[in-house]
Amino acid sequence: MQNENSELPVILTGDRTTGPLHLGHYAGSLRNRTALQHTHRQFLLLADLQALTDNAHDPEKVRRNVLEVAFDYLAVGIDPALTTICVQSALPALSELTMLYMNFVTVARLERNPTIKTEIQVRGFGRDIPVGFLCYPVSQASDITAFKATLVPVGEDQAPLIEQTNEIVRRLNRQVERELLPEAEAMIPKVGRLPGIDGKAKMSKSLGNAIPLSASPDEIREAVRQMYTDPNHLRAADPGVVEGNVVFTYLDAFCEDVALVDDLKARYRQGGLGDMVVKRQLEDVLQALITPIRERRAQFAADPAYVMNVLREGTARARERTQRTLNEVRSALGLFEL
Ligand code: TRP
């Protein structure tokens, strides 16, 4: 057993439970997490409360997907002996910390948060934004600090949330005149975000351009068939463009044979290599990647009792840790004690 002082660097990250995860999640975070669990103390949060902040009209969807995302985690190789998987809504300390932190953040600052600002625009909330949604950066600050995480592996779009977290940490530390909570660092993956199969900047279930981690062989084949390439590459003999060509972007992301990909790129640029040939190569790579994930996922989905147990044990461990932090914050602020 490790004691607190010799603890490995602590990572917290998580996902909103709004739907099963897809290849974009795999490339952007899941793949990293399976590696990081060996070198860090890793906590994964099934963020159902955060999911509710923009899905209050469909709480059943949020509830159902807690298990779906857990299946995805286990299927890609998250090992519950190395990583603690926990459920946000079952950790009351997170909500209590949010209540305390809200006193250290202004509405103006939240509205200026680039992540929030973009989402307000995209969703067309205007002044009718739910308070919970506006405050989700505060809740995310609670998630991160409650675990005393110093590293948060997230996509680039989430970086402003880590900055906001650190502002809260600094204000609180100044208030209590000591280093009560550590600041956290965003760990942004070097590879950019995986585009959707239509070439749009983001792979997303709601945009209908995603390949789920549970995709069947036929679904994989069909997704590759539809995939956006170079729209001006009409005949195999023509020279083609590799940049922004989704088939090549995916080969870069998932094909381990770099020399093969380089060769395909050179021949494609030169002319004489048809889309079909490149797509067949990618299909092989994706079938080989997804098949074992899909099969493991089906095994876990067939044994929900085992997965529930993983979540119960992980959440119990997380409850202890987050409650300890809450107690420290309560006592540092000098809240009334009974
Ligand atoms: N906001 C993250 C997302 O949309 C999910 C999340 C919730 C999270 N709490 C977190 C990520 C804490 C990192 C740390 O994907």
Side-chain angles (χ1 to χ4, degrees), residues 26-97:
Y26 183 77
S29 61
L30 295 176
R31 186 160 52 176
N32 268 342
R33 295 176 191 174
T34 59
L36 289 167
Q37 65 185 346
H38 296 283
T39 49
H40 293 70
R41 179 89 182 84
Q42 180 166 254
F43 295 88
L44 287 188
L45 190 64
L46 294 159
D48 58 343
L49 286 183
Q50 193 180 106
L52 267 184
T53 64
D54 56 344
N55 287 282
H57 57 282
D58 197 357
E60 155 58 19
K61 176 177 85 177
V62 171
R63 186 192 60 79
R64 175 166 31 92
N65 282 299
V66 170
L67 268 180
E68 295 296 323
V69 176
F71 295 154
D72 288 326
Y73 285 173
L74 297 169
V76 298
I78 297 294
D79 177 352
L82 300 171
T83 295
T84 300
I85 306 175
C86 53
V87 181
Q88 188 182 31
S89 64
L91 300 170
L94 300 182
S95 297
E96 293 186 44
L97 281 172

Side-chain angles (χ1 to χ4, degrees), residues 10 13 15 23 27 66 77 87 89 101 158 167 174 177-178 182-183 185 193 213 226 231 280 286 304 307 317 330:
V10 178
T13 182
D15 296 277
L23 267 189
V66 170
V87 181
S89 64
Y101 292 174
Q158 297 270 307
E167 279 180 40
R174 206 179 321 129
E177 296 180 322
R178 63 191 170 87
E183 291 190 35
E185 197 184 316
R193 181 146 73 180
L213 290 173
Q226 289 179 15
R280 209 170 302 130
L286 293 185
V307 181
R317 234 175 297 145
R330 287 183 58 114

Side-chain angles (χ1 to χ4, degrees), residues 64-240:
R64 175 166 31 92
N65 282 299
V66 170
L67 268 180
E68 295 296 323
V69 176
F71 295 154
D72 288 326
Y73 285 173
L74 297 169
V76 298
I78 297 294
D79 177 352
L82 300 171
T83 295
T84 300
I85 306 175
C86 53
V87 181
Q88 188 182 31
S89 64
L91 300 170
L94 300 182
S95 297
E96 293 186 44
L97 281 172
T98 301
M99 194 74 191
L100 296 172
Y101 292 174
M102 284 199 288
N103 303 308
F104 295 92
V105 192
T106 67
V107 172
R109 176 63 181 87
L110 287 170
E111 285 175 342
R112 259 187 284 116
N113 182 314
T115 310
I116 290 288
K117 207 169 162 178
T118 311
E119 289 179 86
I120 291 175
Q121 274 164 7
V122 172
R123 289 161 214 255
F125 277 140
R127 294 298 293 161
D128 289 324
I129 182 169
V131 174
F133 188 80
L134 182 68
C135 291
Y136 96 70
V138 185
S139 147
Q140 192 154 324
S142 303
D143 301 340
I144 294 167
T145 56
F147 287 91
K148 300 215 171 142
T150 53
L151 279 175
V152 187
V154 283
E156 203 169 355
D157 58 313
Q158 297 270 307
L161 294 172
I162 316 300
E163 195 35 57
Q164 176 108 58
T165 297
N166 288 336
E167 279 180 40
I168 293 172
V169 166
R170 289 193 289 268
R171 283 215 50 182
L172 194 70
N173 286 348
R174 206 179 321 129
Q175 177 64 33
V176 304
E177 296 180 322
R178 63 191 170 87
E179 291 291 295
L180 178 62
L181 299 171
E183 291 190 35
E185 197 184 316
M187 197 175 172
I188 315 252
K190 279 180 212 67
V191 291
R193 181 146 73 180
L194 196 73
I197 62 168
D198 55 0
K200 294 226 176 76
K202 186 179 173 182
M203 179 178 277
S204 141
K205 190 172 178 238
S206 54
L207 294 175
N209 63 8
I211 303 179
L213 290 173
S214 56
S216 70
D218 282 347
E219 285 167 332
I220 296 168
R221 189 171 313 122
E222 184 54 21
V224 175
R225 198 187 64 75
Q226 289 179 15
M227 208 167 271
Y228 179 86
T229 60
D230 169 4
N232 298 317
H233 186 241
L234 299 175
R235 283 168 309 210
D238 295 338

Side-chain angles (χ1 to χ4, degrees), residues 258-317:
V258 178
L260 174 80
V261 177
D262 283 347
D263 178 58
L264 289 173
K265 283 182 183 171
R267 287 162 57 202
Y268 194 82
R269 285 195 174 105
Q270 201 178 14
L273 186 60
D275 280 358
M276 280 310 299
V277 179
V278 196
K279 284 190 168 181
R280 209 170 302 130
Q281 189 63 47
L282 176 63
E283 197 205 318
D284 287 349
V285 168
L286 293 185
Q287 297 284 10
L289 173 71
I290 294 177
T291 298
I293 296 177
R294 182 182 58 239
E295 288 173 0
R296 273 198 304 269
R297 197 183 191 286
Q299 284 167 8
F300 288 116
D303 192 0
Y306 165 79
V307 181
M308 284 297 287
N309 213 35
V310 167
L311 297 188
R312 269 193 213 103
E313 283 178 10
T315 303
R317 234 175 297 145

